[in-house]
Amino acid sequence: MSTSKPASFYVTTPIYYVNDIPHIGHAYTTLLADILAGYHRLMGSPTFFLTGTDEHGQKVQQAAEKKGHSPQEHCDIYSLRFKDAWKRLEINHDHFIRTTDPEHIAFVQEMLQKLWDNGRIYPKEYEGWYSLSEERFFTEKELVDGKDPISGRPVEKILEKNYFFKMSEYQDWLVEYIESHPDFIQPDFRKNEVLGFLRQPLNDLCISRPKSRLQWGITLPFDSDYVAYVWVDALFNYVSAVTGRRFPDGNSIWPADYHLIGKDILTTHAVYWPTLLKAVDLPLPRHILAHGWWMMDNARMSKTTGNVVNPMAMADVYGVDAFRSFLAREMVLGLDASFSEEAFVNRVNSDLANDLGNGLSRILKLAATGLDSRLRKVETLTEASRSLQSLADTVVKSSCEKIAGLKLSQGIEEVFTVVRSVNKFLETQAPWKLDKGAADYPEALNAILFPAAEALRLCFTLLKPVMPAKMTEALGALGIDEGKSPLIWGAWNPEKDMPNSVHLFPRIRWEKEPVPSPSQPSLTPGSTAEPFGAVDLRIAKVIKVEDHPNAEKLYVLEVDMGEEKRTLCAGLRGQIPPEDLKDRPVVIVANLKAANLRGVKSQGMLLAASGPEGALHPIHPDGGIPGERVTAEGIVSSPKAKITLDEFLSFPLKVEQGVVRQAERPLTYSQGPLRSISPDGSEVR
Ligand code: MSP
């Protein structure tokens, strides 16, 4: 960990509409922000984490009317549901903003007045086809059979005065800003999407709604017959929430370091928001990060499709921390992820129950029998303990950096590498085989258990932002009180007796049918467990192709896997020219054990089809995004941490009808089936 004091950190989630109940999509962003905030707190940075609810607009007004409530009553009920959900999921936000808060309303009015005074807003008569159900105008061209193209409902021709923000004037400035701040919009492909959008002329933004149509909103300070467009109202929450606050060192909280959002609200955040801020002369947020969607059965989870996973139900059935750790680890930031309850159960059992829980249980049990449940600090380490220490030291530094850099799943995986090494260390050191009658038995036992416990202590501390309650319990079992576990090897001097056992994560029996839950009886079952689910196939982009220095048939490739770059060797030299590989997407077996190939460490294997004459053709998943998963249709992906080459080769892959298949099941990715130009019958490996 860096020794200089890290800078302060302000992170936000979108504010959630109060016409929906919290689902996994909302829970995910909030959790991500919570974990990030947790890591920054762990690193000693002054941190501020904001979430809240978006409470104005026509949908809220209608939903309230339907239920016979006033809009405010409706907002109070729904906002509380979000607050309760975050409490249940152990979310530790610093403030929960509601756009009906008087301070927020006053702030938005102040900003609108400023825009008006500076001539950034103008009135205009606008005539267009208005759809009541979609709350927006359509052009003549957009109508389908004279009706609203989205809902298919009739539209009305309306001539209406509205107020417009001169957004178009900021187009060139925004393009230049995005291009000169390459980290502003993340991931990279989303930045390109926004730049693509900005190649078309940018329109001015209609920022008002007449009260004759909508009353539930913030009244424009310069025309009381109008309310503000809900997005303009909502975006200003990020500043209004922190105007009256400061970090303990007196520094202003705005600008935000990260706005975390879903990909569907990128334009509002990456186009409307920066131009509005520029127009009122406020600094821009440092980064906007758009994550993908949680999908179920290949559709985005949403209330409308009814395919939602209720986060509360999952937490009720399996435990909050297990659920938090699964969500944090499973989605490669930026890409969509499929939710499968079966994959979730597999993860809990392998990582949490087996790896994390077992290590601690073994230490407690052995310490109870041989050391009266009390460990003693060991200063001189054996060679094996020293290598455990050196791994733990490296991971403390690199996992925090990765997580703070939003490479969450990678950072967490690194911590689990240490957890697994502790188990391996215990197995090879085999303290249970020591001679219990020997005079030095307690010393010998303690010499093994202390470093194992010390490495675990660091892991528990590192994982606390992800699993706050369980890691507090785990640290408590080692006799460590809340907040007293510095991330430095050897900083712990055991002072308390430990319990004989602790059950952090009981193994879950997978019943094939999801466990029914009182609050959400409709969780969709995952598909059948298949061994091929253990293989982690990922799309990567080749960024460098070089000849292997010591093997004439090999290339050394550098590939971009979205969250990380890797080096791997590929036996394509002499068959495929480097320019046919460079900048192209390929598929790699990402969880293959690394192998040393004549002095080069190869971290994965590139998939290629070999035709009848032995001609090799790499598989190119066109349009695929680096980091994206390739899965076999109908098989739940639940990759093991590592697989051997033999394990991988035990799953024959073949080209049939132009598509790569595993036992007849097509391999697929976001663009459809994985195609190969090799003839049918070609083997793929
Ligand atoms: N109120 C606006 C945001 C205003 S922020 C100034 C809004 N609210 S929302 O409740 O509809 O959505 C909030 C967030 O939930 C969005 O970031 C959206 O991407 C996210 N999700 C909704 N469904 C989702 C999934 N199935 N998966 C992941 N996140 C998704 O938009």
Side-chain angles (χ1 to χ4, degrees):
M1 194 179 285
S2 123
T3 45
S4 62
K5 191 170 154 4
S8 55
F9 184 70
Y10 173 29
V11 63
T12 69
T13 73
I15 45 173
Y16 304 108
Y17 285 133
V18 285
N19 56 1
D20 202 351
I21 52 165
H23 64 65
I24 195 172
H26 309 130
Y28 178 67
T29 329
T30 315
L31 182 59
L32 213 57
D34 188 55
I35 294 175
L36 273 185
Y39 273 95
H40 282 269
R41 287 187 197 114
L42 191 65
M43 291 191 280
S45 314
T47 298
F48 198 85
F49 163 21
L50 176 73
T51 187
T53 40
D54 189 354
E55 306 191 356
H56 290 126
Q58 189 143 341
K59 295 221 165 93
V60 175
Q61 184 173 304
Q62 283 166 345
E65 275 163 17
K66 237 194 217 162
K67 295 205 166 105
H69 291 141
S70 72
Q72 189 63 58
E73 279 166 352
H74 174 90
C75 293
D76 291 348
I77 297 167
Y78 274 79
S79 182
L80 199 60
R81 291 198 182 178
F82 278 94
K83 277 191 181 162
D84 286 347
W86 301 158
K87 200 167 179 188
R88 174 83 184 93
L89 293 179
E90 296 169 16
I91 302 294
N92 184 12
H93 47 78
D94 294 289
H95 184 58
F96 188 103
I97 188 167
R98 300 181 54 185
T99 53
T100 51
D101 289 339
E103 299 80 10
H104 171 76
I105 294 174
F107 184 81
V108 172
Q109 288 180 325
E110 189 190 322
M111 291 299 112
L112 288 168
Q113 186 66 50
K114 193 165 175 185
L115 290 167
W116 176 251
D117 293 344
N118 293 345
R120 306 284 88 203
I121 289 177
Y122 63 94
K124 189 174 85 175
E125 290 276 347
Y126 181 82
E127 188 175 39
W129 295 100
Y130 189 76
S131 158
L132 246 178
S133 74
E134 291 304 309
E135 277 185 66
R136 56 165 283 198
F137 283 99
F138 289 99
T139 60
E140 182 93 40
K141 258 208 239 143
E142 286 172 317
L143 301 182
V144 176
D145 299 331
K147 295 194 172 144
D148 165 349
I150 299 173
S151 67
R153 300 244 175 99
V155 285
E156 266 181 84
K157 189 153 210 170
I158 295 186
L159 176 70
E160 193 173 272
K161 180 180 105 176
N162 260 312
Y163 288 91
F164 289 80
F165 163 55
K166 293 182 180 167
M167 190 161 73
S168 59
E169 292 187 354
Y170 295 92
Q171 178 160 12
D172 293 345
W173 164 80
L174 183 59
V175 170
E176 165 23 52
Y177 186 88
I178 297 173
E179 280 173 346
S180 58
H181 296 79
D183 285 350
F184 179 51
I185 302 169
Q186 299 174 11
D188 233 31
F189 62 91
R190 296 276 175 232
K191 173 186 76 185
N192 296 335
E193 238 173 72
V194 175
L195 285 172
F197 172 81
L198 287 170
R199 259 179 235 125
Q200 312 294 327
L202 189 62
N203 291 326
D204 286 346
L205 180 68
C206 176
I207 54 105
S208 65
R209 296 291 182 265
K211 280 196 180 162
S212 52
R213 265 197 289 123
L214 171 68
Q215 293 84 48
W216 189 237
I218 299 182
T219 301
L220 296 191
F222 45 84
D223 189 339
S224 57
D225 289 338
Y226 288 81
V227 293
Y229 171 41
V230 68
W231 266 102
V232 172
D233 164 356
L235 286 163
F236 276 111
N237 93 86
Y238 299 133
V239 187
S240 78
V242 295
T243 39
R245 298 162 203 269
R246 299 211 155 250
F247 281 121
D249 58 9
N251 281 335
S252 137
I253 294 180
W254 183 258
D257 289 276
Y258 269 100
H259 283 324
L260 303 182
I261 58 166
K263 62 180 181 183
D264 51 318
I265 54 174
L266 183 60
T267 312
T268 48
H269 281 80
V271 179
Y272 299 5
W273 185 220
T275 54
L276 281 166
L277 284 167
K278 174 82 180 153
V280 292
D281 211 13
L282 279 169
L284 266 50
R286 294 200 176 88
H287 308 288
I288 297 170
L289 183 127
H291 62 71
W293 284 337
W294 281 94
M295 315 281 281
M296 193 172 244
D297 305 327
N298 289 325
R300 172 187 168 189
M301 271 183 219
S302 78
K303 198 174 95 173
T304 347
T305 42
N307 60 348
V308 283
V309 168
N310 178 337
M312 266 26 82
M314 296 305 290
D316 286 347
V317 178
Y318 298 116
V320 172
D321 282 1
F323 181 62
R324 286 176 57 111
S325 125
F326 178 76
L327 287 194
R329 238 184 122 170
E330 206 53 21
M331 189 184 268
V332 175
L333 263 192
L335 305 179
D336 292 345
S338 265
F339 188 87
S340 137
E341 202 174 349
E342 186 178 357
F344 170 45
V345 168
N346 286 345
R347 264 270 188 242
V348 176
N349 284 344
S350 69
D351 292 352
L352 304 182
N354 274 3
D355 295 343
L356 202 60
N358 264 355
L360 179 62
S361 293
R362 278 167 154 179
I363 293 171
L364 297 181
K365 213 184 221 159
L366 286 159
T369 51
L371 296 168
D372 290 331
S373 291
R374 172 77 69 97
L375 294 175
R376 270 163 300 111
K377 185 169 178 175
V378 174
E379 302 284 357
T380 335
L381 297 177
T382 61
E383 203 179 310
S385 329
R386 263 208 310 277
S387 57
L388 195 58
Q389 173 189 5
S390 123
L391 176 70
D393 281 346
T394 314
V395 167
V396 163
K397 187 172 182 307
S398 75
S399 67
C400 278
E401 274 167 12
K402 291 225 164 71
I403 292 167
L406 271 293
K407 294 180 173 168
L408 226 66
S409 55
Q410 238 184 304
I412 298 173
E413 174 53 33
E414 280 189 5
V415 182
F416 276 94
T417 324
V418 181
V419 172
R420 283 190 289 271
S421 299
V422 171
N423 286 324
K424 218 184 252 164
F425 170 83
L426 287 171
E427 265 146 41
T428 48
Q429 299 296 305
W432 42 88
K433 287 193 186 149
L434 293 173
D435 175 6
K436 292 194 180 61
D440 67 348
Y441 173 65
E443 264 88 337
L445 182 61
N446 189 64
I448 299 170
L449 296 190
F450 175 79
E454 177 61 340
L456 278 187
R457 174 187 73 84
L458 294 174
C459 295
F460 297 155
T461 314
L462 284 169
L463 292 173
K464 214 171 141 210
V466 182
M467 298 181 277
K470 288 291 175 184
M471 293 305 100
T472 304
E473 196 182 328
L475 287 167
L478 293 177
I480 297 163
D481 294 334
E482 185 78 39
K484 294 211 174 123
S485 183
L487 275 172
I488 299 165
W489 179 284
W492 174 45
N493 198 353
E495 283 170 347
K496 289 190 187 159
D497 287 352
M498 301 183 296
N500 295 356
S501 67
V502 59
H503 289 289
L504 290 180
F505 299 99
R507 275 191 77 79
I508 305 170
R509 210 156 42 93
W510 174 244
E511 302 281 5
K512 286 270 145 85
E513 286 303 319
V515 181
S517 118
S519 45
Q520 173 77 11
S522 60
L523 296 172
T524 324
S527 43
T528 344
E530 289 276 349
F532 188 67
V535 179
D536 193 5
L537 293 180
R538 298 283 178 131
I539 294 181
K541 188 169 138 195
V542 178
I543 42 186
K544 211 187 248 160
V545 185
E546 280 176 350
D547 290 346
H548 191 296
N550 307 314
E552 61 182 27
K553 290 203 169 139
L554 294 182
Y555 281 132
V556 179
L557 308 180
E558 197 188 334
V559 299
D560 172 9
M561 286 191 43
E563 282 201 347
E564 61 175 315
K565 297 204 171 47
R566 290 198 191 180
T567 303
L568 49 105
C569 297
L572 298 169
R573 197 161 145 199
Q575 299 224 27
I576 309 284
E579 58 275 18
D580 283 5
L581 284 170
K582 180 133 188 316
D583 295 328
R584 294 201 66 187
V586 292
V587 179
I588 70 165
V589 186
N591 62 341
L592 198 66
K593 263 194 182 148
N596 191 314
L597 300 179
R598 300 231 185 148
V600 175
K601 189 173 171 202
S602 180
Q603 305 162 289
M605 183 172 108
L606 176 146
L607 285 192
S610 59
E613 271 87 49
L616 284 176
H617 293 290
I619 309 291
H620 293 300
D622 291 321
I625 298 165
E628 182 183 336
R629 272 204 176 124
V630 175
T631 53
E633 203 171 272
I635 293 182
V636 172
S637 172
S638 162
K640 278 200 198 167
K642 289 281 168 241
I643 57 170
T644 61
L645 184 61
D646 283 349
E647 265 177 279
F648 173 67
L649 295 178
S650 71
F651 303 109
L653 298 177
K654 263 197 180 158
V655 180
E656 298 291 350
Q657 296 156 309
V659 169
V660 183
R661 293 166 196 265
Q662 202 285 308
E664 289 169 16
R665 296 172 191 262
L667 299 194
T668 58
Y669 68 114
S670 60
Q671 305 298 311
L674 192 63
R675 304 198 168 274
S676 164
I677 54 164
S678 295
D680 283 354
S682 302
E683 285 186 358
V684 178
R685 49 172 58 183

